[in-house]
Amino acid sequence: MPQLNPAPWLAILLFSWFIFLAIIPQKISVYLFPNNPTPQSTRTTDMTPWNWPWQ
């Protein structure tokens, strides 16, 4: 039965895991975001309780 022959599938499995673990993380870690987030103001908003009319 050809399904039990591990020769081509084992090589494909190992090669694909090599790509996922060695090449792709390096490409992702080099990526720079085009828009760096700017810090928001540190002013806190006024949190007033809301009295519900039906309770």
Side-chain angles (χ1 to χ4, degrees):
M1 290 197 295
Q3 296 95 328
L4 298 177
N5 184 6
W9 303 112
L10 184 62
I12 291 170
L13 176 72
L14 293 177
F15 187 68
S16 62
W17 272 105
F18 172 74
I19 290 173
F20 285 133
L21 295 176
I23 297 173
I24 292 177
Q26 292 174 358
K27 290 185 176 287
I28 292 174
S29 66
V30 175
Y31 179 75
L32 298 175
F33 290 105
N35 298 328
N36 289 331
T38 57
Q40 297 287 329
S41 65
T42 58
R43 184 177 56 118
T44 59
T45 58
D46 185 21
M47 302 294 283
T48 57
W50 189 2
N51 294 326
W52 295 92
W54 54 82
Q55 285 185 348

